[in-house]
Amino acid sequence: MFWIAIILFGIGMIGIIIGLFVWGIMKIPGNKRKQAFIVMGAIAVLLVGYGVYRYCSIERDGTVGLGVVRVGDVEYVYAGYDLSGEGKIIGKIDGFQVKEIPEDPDHNFLVIRSFLDQNYLVRKDYKIPVSGTVSCCYIRGKRSTDEKLLQTIEEILSITYDDGFQIETEKKHDRLCGLSVGYDGCPVGTDGGYMLGCLDDGRWVLVFRKDYTVTDGRHTIICHEITGEQAQVLENSDMFQ
């Protein structure tokens, strides 16, 4: 009933708009009225053509299951990753909108969204790279493909660290930023086990998320210091501003 009401409302609004246009055209002097009708007819044809194109370009064959989502003849599984936003709707399946991800024109990654829920998907036969060249990073959810920054982050993540040093706070350390990366051409941040930031004393540090614990409201963090040129690159990056 809800969708029927929406459709009827839309038809009614279209009727009102057409009526207003016709009324406006009838006010035009006779010698220009024909030209106005031609222009309005051309606009109507373009709008209808675009509507037909959009309807036909949206995939409607598929199923949304507990473990697997089928979009057309392609199967996807649920996953977690960082992305910069959602793109256009490419499908409508089982009450869900299927949206593409702007940075992934190949549709290896998708988002499905309903009124109350959203989930991230990855193509079932796509093998997510777990190491290699860092091709993108997300810091505080913001995407970067800056070559110098990516090279620096790749160097930082490739280091074998010692035990580091420990700090404790009574609240979340707001200068530590969540970091996730994508490897070897992967367009989204699939490896999100890190935090980067500058401590109050000016030291830049890397934190592995597993080493950030909260017990009885007290935050315990094991940090690994970043120095030299790597620290300078992070300092100069607007991703941490």
Side-chain angles (χ1 to χ4, degrees):
M1 289 298 295
F2 173 76
W3 289 111
I4 293 175
I6 292 293
I7 292 171
L8 291 176
F9 175 77
I11 293 173
M13 291 301 296
I14 292 172
I16 291 173
I17 292 171
I18 292 175
L20 289 172
F21 275 125
V22 172
W23 177 81
I25 290 173
M26 294 305 294
K27 295 290 185 179
I28 298 174
N31 59 338
K32 295 184 178 180
R33 191 177 299 163
K34 183 177 179 180
Q35 295 178 0
F37 270 115
I38 292 173
V39 172
M40 290 305 303
I43 292 174
V45 169
L46 289 174
L47 290 175
V48 170
Y50 177 75
V52 171
Y53 165 77
R54 285 292 296 148
Y55 181 87
C56 294
S57 65
I58 291 178
E59 180 64 69
R60 300 175 189 276
D61 175 38
T63 55
V64 177
L66 293 177
V68 177
V69 175
R70 181 175 62 83
V71 181
D73 58 355
V74 180
E75 289 188 334
Y76 291 80
V77 293
Y78 298 96
Y81 46 82
D82 281 336
L83 67 163
S84 60
E86 299 174 9
K88 67 181 181 181
I89 298 172
I90 63 170
K92 293 184 177 180
I93 298 170
D94 288 350
F96 286 83
Q97 293 180 340
V98 182
K99 292 187 172 185
E100 67 178 8
I101 295 172
E103 53 263 46
D104 178 31
D106 296 329
H107 295 169
N108 289 313
F109 298 87
L110 295 174
V111 177
I112 56 169
R113 176 184 292 278
S114 67
F115 181 70
L116 296 175
D117 192 19
Q118 75 168 21
N119 288 284
Y120 296 163
L121 305 175
V122 61
R123 188 169 171 142
K124 190 175 181 179
D125 58 1
Y126 178 79
K127 187 175 181 180
I128 297 175
V130 295
S131 62
T133 301
V134 174
S135 52
C136 68
C137 72
Y138 292 78
I139 298 171
R140 288 200 184 106
K142 183 180 178 182
R143 189 173 194 262
S144 176
T145 55
D146 178 78
E147 290 186 10
K148 186 64 174 177
L149 178 61
L150 296 184
Q151 180 183 352
T152 298
I153 289 176
E154 184 177 327
E155 293 171 357
I156 291 171
L157 298 183
S158 67
I159 295 173
T160 300
Y161 292 94
D162 57 18
D163 294 336
F165 62 93
Q166 180 175 299
I167 62 174
E168 294 187 1
T169 66
E170 295 181 353
K171 62 180 182 179
K172 182 179 179 181
H173 202 296
D174 56 10
R175 301 191 68 179
L176 290 176
C177 309
L179 167 69
S180 65
V181 299
Y183 298 104
D184 288 347
C186 182
V188 296
T190 54
D191 184 4
Y194 316 101
M195 303 179 79
L196 277 177
C198 184
L199 301 180
D200 295 335
D201 59 10
R203 287 182 294 176
W204 282 88
V205 297
L206 170 71
V207 175
F208 296 95
R209 287 189 182 272
K210 63 182 180 62
D211 294 331
Y212 191 126
T213 58
V214 182
T215 304
D216 296 329
R218 191 159 188 84
H219 298 246
T220 302
I221 311 164
I222 298 175
C223 303
H224 305 278
E225 187 172 2
I226 301 166
T227 59
E229 184 181 353
Q230 295 168 349
Q232 192 61 51
V233 170
L234 298 182
E235 182 74 35
N236 294 336
S237 173
D238 59 3
M239 296 293 287
F240 297 92
Q241 304 303 318

